[in-house]
Amino acid sequence: MDNNNSLTIQVNDIELQVEPGQTLIEVADANGIEIPRFCYHKKLSTSANCRMCLVEVEKAPKMMPACATPVMDGMKAWTKSPKAIAAQKSVMEFLLINHPLDCPVCDQGGECDLQEIAMGYGAGTARYSEKKRIVKDKDYGSLVSTEMTRCIHCTRCVRFGTEIAGITEIGGTGRGDHMEIGTYVQKSLSSELSGNIIDLCPVGALLSKPFLYSARSWELKSLPSIAPHDAVGSHIQVQVRNGEVMRVIPRENESLNEIWISDRDRFSYLGLNSADRMTQPMMRNDVGKLVTCDWQQALEATVKGLKAAGAESGALASPSATVEELYLLQKLMRGLGSSSIDCRLGQQDFSGQQNQPAPQLNSTLESVEQQNAVLIVGANLRHEQPLLAHRVRKAALAGAAVSSVNPAQVNFNYDLSTTVETDQLTPALAAVAKAMVALGKGSDLDGLTALVANAAVDESHQAIAQSLIDGEQVMVLIGGLVYRDANQAVLYALADAIAQMSGATLSVVTEGANALGGALVGAASTAGKNVAEMIAEPPKAVLLMGIEAKDLSSTDAIRKTDFVVAMAAFSDGLNDLQADIVLPMAAFTETSGTLVNMEGSWQSFQGVVAPKGEARPGWKILRVLGTLANLDGFDLDTSEEVLAEAKTATESAAQAGGWSAPSSLGSDQTTVSIGHAIYAVDPLVRRSEALQQSHLGQQKGEIA
Amino acid sequence: MANQVCFRNNHLENSWTLEAYQSNGGYEVLKKILSEKTPAEELIEDIKLSNLRGRGGAGFPTGIKWSFMPRNAPGQKYIVCNSDEGEPGTCKDRDILRYNPHQLIEGMIIAGYCIGASAGYNYIRGEFWEPYSRFESALEEARAAGILGENIFGSGFDFTLDAHLGAGAYVCGEETALLNSIEGKKGQPRFKPPFPAGFGLYGRPTTINNTESLASIPVILAKGGQWFLDLGLPSAGGEKLFSVSGHVNKPGNYEVPMGTPFSELLEMAGGVREGHQLKAVIPGGSSTPVVPGEQMMEVNMDYDSIAAAGSMLGAGSVIVIDETACMPRILERLSYFYYEESCGQCTPCREGTGWLYRVLQRIEAGNGSNEDLDLLDNVASNIEGNTICALGDAAAMPVRSFLKHYRDEFQYHIDHSTCMVKSDW
């Protein structure tokens, strides 16, 4: 605390040092002084409308809302004086007169701010004997249910939409006690962050629709975990009852997800109980039909098949698999003599891989907010990495010049400083690079000038170049559309050149929750066959981990392979991939493990429920396979041991990249290839019915 | 003396035209100020000397309000005129717009000059179509004559002025709700701080004055602050418009000096209608506390005298009530107004105004109970002072004052399920 600027105030006769600009409620919260509130929320603008936080302030003729009262030197405030308590109690009474007394059937019961504060400030009996207000419910779609009669008009959800989600789709209509919170026209919510309004709602007006009436909050055990669908690695609480996952809510972590999570992270758990779950090992019988078998048979047959193929085996894994799984998978394959291990499922072009370090942000999520200029290339960020998109939005709102080179279908929830809408990323990016060269940059990058010599530069490319050069903290961010592009190597090189010319951080985000971890532990092998080669011409034996047909661009060849083993949590892979053996694998809630997020943080988590049926954690399956194959170094008893070994084996994250000019921009300047739809990124998400039925889940377009 | 300030031109034929206004010295002060480049500080000092107190109801001295503006700060600043005039009982600003619009325009240009604003808006009540049209015509005349726009009178001073017609919400007369409404947002008051002088229209420093206040400015500066002060009282200078309505023979607007005895004002309005006696007066608009008639006859029409009688001068909207009026019925109607007009933003007003109205409705319908009167008073006091804007207070004050002075009539309603007073209206 800077003592030169700090002020001295008294709250409840206790002297406190505070900073100018703070409000009374912030001071109270920081010092453990409890002030009841409904509308105030630290992440939202102040509206001061609920009036629950009224406190007494010396010399003020009226009670003042603590949330909207800035501190002043020498100020004296009392939060529990008779006058303050009287004001708080009267507000409580007003809030309750039109609120239904349906706590016994309300899902919010037990975790309701109104219920809790009413215990302290409500009267035992009601003085209100007139008719109560009834409000028609709204249809917000498949994720959020409404019970608008319970609404206390705090407008947190409204402010969330405007300020955080960046989509003004909820508002208040009507006056007085006819005021209703709703969408302006009847529509379902379209934000990728919409579920957060469930947490923000201080009463039972906005609830999780999939969770509705399925459990009471006090029956749930809350266990910490890490969300496994994008590279933010949001902290979550998985809430469990009787060995079943009932609900997922955010776990506060200011440096990553703050207090939010994406709808994908919140509602993906619904896929855990899908009818497709694999609960028993299976293998093909004599007539080629998949039938259940015991683990011993399945494991022995797997080892036999893989050993037979030996160096001609290969493995494909989900980029959302854990470090432990990916490490043991590559250890197994390498033990068998094969270096064909890949988790870069969406990538087509590997020609530049020698110059590309493992994909990562090269920054922290928090410092993304501090950028002066950001160039987003080939990234549908809101769908790929919703909470990274939120950080970029915060930077934009704080005045950063955010520009975009993307297909027109990519939406932004803030104003871009410059946008180049194109399906052909390469010429556009080359033009930006050329504009920088024209500004006198890039003389140290051999071959760059010649490479971009023919690019057609217009004002927007120049504006982007200028904004990056002008900014002090600058970022070039390439995403999933670059990752999937057939010209990825050239695009990466151009982005790298632009970053070097402007002194920008080059941030690379791909797909999955652990692409960086996979690369670090050798599961994105540059030595053997890569995923594109394995899809085109599969090895004799293929081990698939956590993926199914929809994760691969083609399965035609793999289906014809002699021997396919699928470690899978879901059964779709059987039919589509013609697996010979299926080893039922635990889902993320059923195993311990570690995910390395885009910041490079290794985030470990524990299993919160037992695996379904006979399913087993992936790392355990792989450990047994290694042991059965008589390979050394598989006598690892815990996932922690696996992790410790994986860490020592890690290739340097900062492995040298270095500029090397591509020979040409590519004769065929391909258009952007498909991106995964937001709710189609992995097998679990694809099986969350509620997500599929939601507004974004219904958008089946390629980019969407 | 009367009609020396805002109504000084009303006797002229087509007094709302530029020609009529200029025939009586209109725009001369503006021309003088702009040509002599009179320092704004000097003008503001004269306004302070006049002790012109805000005519919208709060009575805050206009000169002091102007001096809060960071007039030399860079960037856009605004002067906004509040012609929303929604308070039941008031209709004075309407007649300024109808009969003397150019004086308001001149006042706003001078205000813009004083506070460093080059743009102004006049927010006119949604129901005021005729006054709005007339004001628009006056704006057109002024623009055509080079009085508005760029380089006014060749002085190098620019000022644009536009009228904005509201959509009929009472709360938009609250100055920050008014700003939101101009911005195209829902008309809901903002919490303060920040105050408009720092963060007003579109987030820029803004001064908001009532129509009558702004229309008084040209006369004050033409004749001097001392002259205006001498018209009224040391505590409140000038003449003031009073809208007299209710049970009088000649309802209407009367511009009389501050401190004029109520009895004289009543006489100007033709006295209580034939054959009836004065029962009560709501002296400052429907939100101000009611004062019993005999007490009111001793009161002068100025801030201090009315405050001593337990009420407020407000916007000068005098509602006269004779002995035929059922007080619970009047209060029920007033409460209905505030219930309908609460914006719904903050809890005590949103929930409390409906509660008050429903209980009063029940009493009026003959279904009251003995606890209701204390309940009403308590609910009203729980609203008072606890809301974002003054609408909550406006809803609470009539309830508390009616109960204070006429509790017997309410009790009669509860006991007998009918009115103590048989209305003939």
Side-chain angles (χ1 to χ4, degrees):
Chain A
M1 194 176 287
D2 184 354
N3 287 321
N4 295 330
N5 288 328
S6 71
L7 311 173
T8 306
I9 68 164
Q10 281 186 17
V11 180
N12 298 345
D13 303 319
I14 301 163
E15 202 165 285
L16 300 170
Q17 297 294 312
V18 300
E19 296 294 305
Q22 281 191 295
T23 58
L24 274 177
I25 210 166
E26 286 168 350
V27 170
D29 285 354
N31 289 283
I33 299 164
E34 191 190 315
I35 299 177
R37 86 288 303 269
F38 296 105
C39 69
Y40 170 77
H41 192 281
K42 62 180 178 181
K43 288 287 180 188
L44 302 174
S45 68
T46 305
S47 63
N49 64 37
C50 79
R51 315 307 283 177
M52 193 64 213
C53 68
L54 290 173
V55 297
E56 187 178 351
V57 176
E58 189 185 46
K59 293 192 191 113
K62 306 190 222 176
M63 297 299 108
M64 304 295 284
C67 67
T69 304
V71 292
M72 290 195 286
D73 202 27
M75 181 184 251
K76 289 181 183 172
W78 296 271
T79 67
K80 302 243 178 286
S81 67
K83 278 183 186 171
I85 293 281
Q88 292 158 4
K89 284 189 166 176
S90 69
V91 171
M92 190 74 232
E93 181 180 38
F94 284 131
L95 283 169
L96 290 176
I97 64 171
N98 274 311
H99 190 80
L101 260 179
D102 63 348
C103 305
V105 295
C106 174
D107 258 17
Q108 192 85 353
E111 53 184 15
C112 175
D113 291 356
L114 189 68
Q115 197 179 36
E116 215 164 279
I117 295 173
M119 292 297 291
Y121 299 87
T125 52
R127 296 194 294 170
Y128 184 77
S129 54
E130 321 304 320
K131 278 183 187 163
K132 285 196 171 219
R133 174 176 58 229
I134 292 169
V135 184
K136 210 172 160 226
D137 291 336
K138 313 290 183 285
D139 185 358
Y140 281 177
S142 62
L143 304 177
V144 180
S145 87
T146 65
E147 191 71 47
M148 297 316 287
T149 302
R150 295 180 187 142
C151 174
I152 59 168
H153 308 91
C154 70
T155 69
R156 280 186 186 177
C157 57
V158 177
R159 284 174 282 147
F160 174 83
T162 310
E163 295 162 17
I164 308 295
I167 310 177
T168 305
E169 48 188 353
I170 306 177
T173 52
R175 278 203 309 245
D177 71 0
H178 307 300
M179 175 170 162
E180 288 185 25
I181 302 295
T183 47
Y184 295 116
V185 289
Q186 289 292 317
K187 69 189 272 289
S188 33
L189 302 182
S190 64
S191 167
E192 68 280 9
L193 303 174
S194 70
N196 291 297
I197 62 174
I198 299 165
D199 304 332
L200 288 174
C201 183
V203 296
L206 303 175
L207 297 166
S208 165
K209 196 176 258 186
F211 177 69
L212 206 60
Y213 304 134
S214 56
R216 305 308 318 237
S217 61
W218 55 87
E219 301 170 330
L220 302 172
K221 205 162 124 190
S222 246
L223 299 160
S225 188
I226 302 294
H229 305 293
D230 62 42
V232 172
S234 293
H235 286 206
I236 54 173
Q237 299 272 12
V238 181
Q239 300 195 312
V240 174
R241 184 187 65 177
N242 299 336
E244 290 278 340
V245 174
M246 303 303 294
R247 185 167 69 165
V248 169
I249 57 172
R251 181 157 56 98
E252 185 164 355
N253 182 316
E254 192 56 29
S255 64
L256 291 181
N257 50 303
E258 303 173 51
I259 60 163
W260 319 115
I261 51 174
S262 65
D263 287 358
R264 189 163 62 194
D265 290 345
R266 183 185 298 268
F267 295 109
S268 70
Y269 78 91
L270 294 160
L272 291 171
N273 294 324
S274 145
D276 290 348
R277 271 308 293 273
M278 282 301 307
T279 54
Q280 277 193 303
M282 300 181 92
M283 46 192 293
R284 289 201 189 274
N285 63 12
D286 301 342
V287 293
K289 192 173 184 307
L290 263 184
V291 292
T292 57
C293 61
D294 65 31
W295 267 108
Q296 194 64 28
Q297 288 174 293
L299 291 166
E300 280 170 4
T302 301
V303 169
K304 192 176 158 203
L306 290 175
K307 278 194 116 169
E312 289 185 79
S313 56
L316 291 172
S318 162
S320 294
T322 64
V323 162
E324 292 80 352
E325 289 161 350
L326 291 167
Y327 173 72
L328 287 181
L329 178 70
Q330 64 82 33
K331 187 172 183 178
L332 175 70
M333 299 315 291
R334 291 201 159 92
L336 293 167
S338 166
S339 298
S340 302
I341 311 116
D342 211 346
C343 62
R344 298 167 291 181
L345 300 182
Q347 194 164 340
Q348 302 180 54
D349 175 14
F350 294 87
S351 60
Q353 62 181 347
Q354 300 305 335
N355 298 317
Q356 298 177 12
Q360 57 199 303
L361 196 60
N362 286 316
S363 167
T364 62
L365 281 149
E366 277 184 319
S367 55
V368 170
E369 288 177 30
Q370 317 302 328
Q371 303 299 315
N372 309 120
V374 181
L375 169 61
I376 300 171
V377 182
N380 191 6
L381 223 46
R382 286 173 60 194
H383 288 192
E384 293 172 18
Q385 316 282 350
L387 290 173
L388 171 60
H390 168 60
R391 297 281 186 171
V392 180
R393 174 178 150 81
K394 282 168 96 175
L397 295 184
V402 179
S403 49
S404 151
V405 175
N406 265 308
Q409 298 96 313
V410 174
N411 285 316
F412 293 87
N413 50 1
Y414 45 85
D415 290 335
L416 294 164
S417 70
T418 313
T419 175
V420 176
E421 291 185 349
T422 175
D423 288 339
Q424 298 195 327
L425 299 177
T426 311
L429 208 51
V432 174
K434 187 177 172 184
M436 279 193 170
V437 170
L439 290 166
K441 302 281 178 180
S443 53
D444 53 334
L445 301 173
D446 287 343
L448 176 66
T449 310
L451 181 70
V452 299
N454 294 324
V457 180
D458 66 22
E459 313 84 66
S460 44
H461 305 119
Q462 286 163 343
I464 292 172
Q466 194 67 53
S467 74
L468 293 174
I469 288 170
D470 289 348
E472 213 165 281
Q473 292 198 64
V474 190
M475 179 173 265
V476 175
L477 205 164
I478 61 176
L481 302 177
V482 169
Y483 170 70
R484 285 180 173 262
D485 200 288
N487 209 24
Q488 191 266 359
V490 173
L491 286 171
Y492 185 99
L494 288 169
D496 188 19
I498 291 168
Q500 290 195 38
M501 287 189 281
S502 54
T505 305
L506 179 64
S507 297
V508 183
V509 290
T510 58
E511 289 168 1
N514 199 24
L516 175 54
L520 293 178
V521 301
S525 172
T526 53
K529 286 185 168 182
N530 60 44
V531 61
E533 291 161 343
M534 283 192 261
I535 285 171
E537 199 184 327
K540 282 188 177 161
V542 181
L543 175 55
L544 303 169
M545 184 169 78
I547 61 180
E548 53 192 355
K550 285 175 181 160
D551 293 312
L552 302 173
S553 57
S554 164
T555 57
D556 294 349
I558 289 176
R559 290 156 70 100
K560 293 175 192 135
T561 303
D562 293 346
F563 187 66
V564 178
V565 180
M567 292 170 62
F570 298 98
S571 67
D572 228 25
L574 316 184
N575 309 323
D576 290 350
L577 292 169
Q578 297 287 311
D580 297 286
I581 300 172
V582 182
L583 305 176
M585 192 167 78
F588 82 101
T589 47
E590 301 161 4
T591 179
S592 55
T594 304
L595 299 169
V596 183
N597 75 358
M598 62 174 76
E599 285 186 348
S601 300
W602 295 59
Q603 303 196 98
S604 296
F605 56 91
Q606 296 296 316
V608 295
V609 290
K612 285 258 165 196
E614 289 186 34
R616 290 293 174 266
W619 70 271
K620 287 190 179 176
I621 298 172
L622 291 161
R623 181 192 62 177
V624 176
L625 288 174
T627 309
L628 282 176
N630 289 320
L631 299 176
D632 288 339
F634 278 86
D635 49 349
L636 299 158
D637 290 335
T638 62
S639 64
E640 286 79 9
E641 282 177 48
V642 181
L643 177 64
E645 186 179 314
K647 273 186 172 166
T648 61
T650 299
E651 296 165 22
S652 167
Q655 95 190 27
W659 165 255
S660 165
S663 54
S664 76
L665 290 179
S667 53
D668 175 21
Q669 290 171 342
T670 51
T671 57
V672 173
S673 72
I674 60 160
H676 262 36
I678 181 167
Y679 299 144
V681 292
D682 60 46
L684 181 60
V685 169
R686 285 194 282 265
R687 283 172 178 80
S688 170
E689 271 301 307
L691 284 177
Q692 298 310 320
Q693 287 162 8
S694 71
H695 180 85
L696 289 176
Q698 295 293 309
Q699 286 183 0
K700 296 296 187 193
E702 287 182 344
I703 299 289
Chain B
M1 289 296 283
N3 296 345
Q4 296 187 76
V5 186
C6 293
F7 276 9
R8 72 191 177 107
N9 294 326
N10 288 19
H11 63 282
L12 302 174
E13 197 178 333
N14 294 335
S15 63
W16 51 89
T17 59
L18 180 60
E19 190 188 350
Y21 183 60
Q22 285 184 315
S23 75
N24 201 12
Y27 290 117
E28 289 303 322
V29 189
L30 175 66
K31 201 177 280 180
K32 183 164 174 284
I33 291 170
L34 293 183
S35 61
E36 295 177 1
K37 307 222 182 309
T38 316
E41 293 77 7
E42 209 172 283
L43 299 173
I44 293 175
E45 279 311 309
D46 214 17
I47 307 284
K48 281 184 186 168
L49 173 66
S50 76
N51 206 1
L52 167 67
R53 293 175 61 172
R55 300 300 197 223
F60 191 82
T62 304
I64 295 178
K65 194 183 225 181
W66 287 8
S67 64
F68 290 156
M69 280 291 281
R71 64 177 310 279
N72 293 317
Q76 185 65 61
K77 293 175 278 294
Y78 296 101
I79 173 78
V80 173
C81 175
N82 184 346
S83 298
D84 194 57
E85 194 165 53
E87 183 76 5
T90 176
C91 52
K92 63 187 181 66
D93 299 335
R94 182 194 65 186
D95 281 0
I96 294 173
L97 295 171
R98 285 163 85 200
Y99 299 118
N100 204 7
H102 281 286
Q103 194 166 313
L104 174 60
I105 293 170
E106 186 176 5
M108 288 191 72
I109 302 171
I110 296 170
Y113 177 84
C114 287
I115 63 168
S118 64
Y121 292 96
N122 185 14
Y123 187 96
I124 299 176
R125 174 177 170 155
E127 291 87 344
F128 281 1
W129 180 252
E130 187 213 3
Y132 170 77
S133 306
R134 212 169 252 183
F135 186 74
E136 279 286 0
S137 306
L139 286 177
E140 281 307 316
E141 282 184 310
R143 287 179 191 130
I147 297 168
L148 279 175
E150 288 179 5
N151 195 18
I152 297 170
F153 296 136
S155 65
F157 179 69
D158 306 333
F159 188 79
T160 61
L161 178 57
D162 290 282
H164 183 105
L165 192 66
Y170 170 71
V171 76
C172 288
E174 198 282 340
E175 60 182 18
T176 55
L178 184 154
L179 297 180
N180 277 351
S181 179
I182 293 179
E183 290 180 14
K185 296 173 183 158
K186 196 178 180 196
Q188 290 186 332
R190 305 172 182 173
F191 69 84
K192 287 139 285 207
F195 292 92
F199 188 94
L201 188 62
Y202 301 111
R204 305 297 312 166
T206 303
T207 291
I208 303 144
N209 289 121
N210 170 257
T211 314
E212 187 185 346
S213 309
L214 286 167
S216 302
I217 296 297
V219 187
I220 294 173
L221 294 177
K223 302 194 175 178
Q226 188 64 47
W227 170 83
F228 189 82
L229 180 65
D230 293 343
L231 282 182
L233 303 172
S235 63
E239 290 188 342
K240 163 92 189 85
L241 281 167
F242 292 97
S243 308
V244 185
S245 64
H247 295 146
V248 291
N249 286 315
K250 281 168 60 191
N253 288 314
Y254 297 91
E255 187 169 48
V256 295
M258 280 284 185
T260 301
F262 168 74
S263 53
E264 276 180 35
L265 181 64
L266 183 63
E267 209 176 300
M268 291 171 83
V272 178
R273 59 184 185 148
E274 284 305 316
H276 293 283
Q277 297 89 47
L278 181 66
K279 177 178 183 179
V281 176
I282 305 176
S286 67
S287 61
T288 58
V290 67
V291 179
E294 61 273 23
Q295 192 181 355
M296 196 66 200
M297 289 304 279
E298 309 300 320
V299 166
N300 296 333
M301 298 308 289
D302 65 77
Y303 295 98
D304 297 342
S305 180
I306 295 181
S311 189
M312 297 187 295
L313 181 75
S317 334
V318 183
I319 301 171
V320 177
I321 297 166
D322 74 18
E323 86 289 354
T324 62
C326 166
M327 298 310 260
R329 190 172 157 194
I330 292 180
L331 184 60
E332 183 213 4
R333 184 61 187 78
L334 289 179
S335 283
Y336 176 67
F337 176 81
Y338 291 105
Y339 162 60
E340 272 299 320
E341 295 295 343
S342 168
C343 82
Q345 183 180 205
C346 71
T347 306
C349 180
R350 179 183 65 242
E351 307 295 344
T353 52
W355 194 354
L356 291 176
Y357 169 60
R358 290 187 187 101
V359 173
L360 284 162
Q361 199 183 22
R362 200 155 41 72
I363 294 173
E364 172 64 16
N367 299 318
S369 63
N370 280 323
E371 301 82 54
D372 283 344
L373 299 185
D374 287 342
L375 176 68
L376 278 175
D377 191 62
N378 184 253
V379 169
S381 82
N382 284 348
I383 300 173
E384 216 173 324
N386 288 341
T387 52
I388 290 178
C389 79
L391 197 150
D393 300 343
M397 283 188 291
V399 173
R400 303 193 73 189
S401 66
F402 272 64
L403 285 173
K404 182 178 161 197
H405 294 298
Y406 302 98
R407 197 177 173 103
D408 55 333
E409 286 193 43
F410 289 86
Q411 191 63 50
Y412 189 93
H413 251 280
I414 290 168
D415 295 341
H416 300 91
S417 297
T418 183
C419 299
M420 188 160 100
V421 177
K422 299 287 175 267
S423 299
D424 63 351
W425 42 277

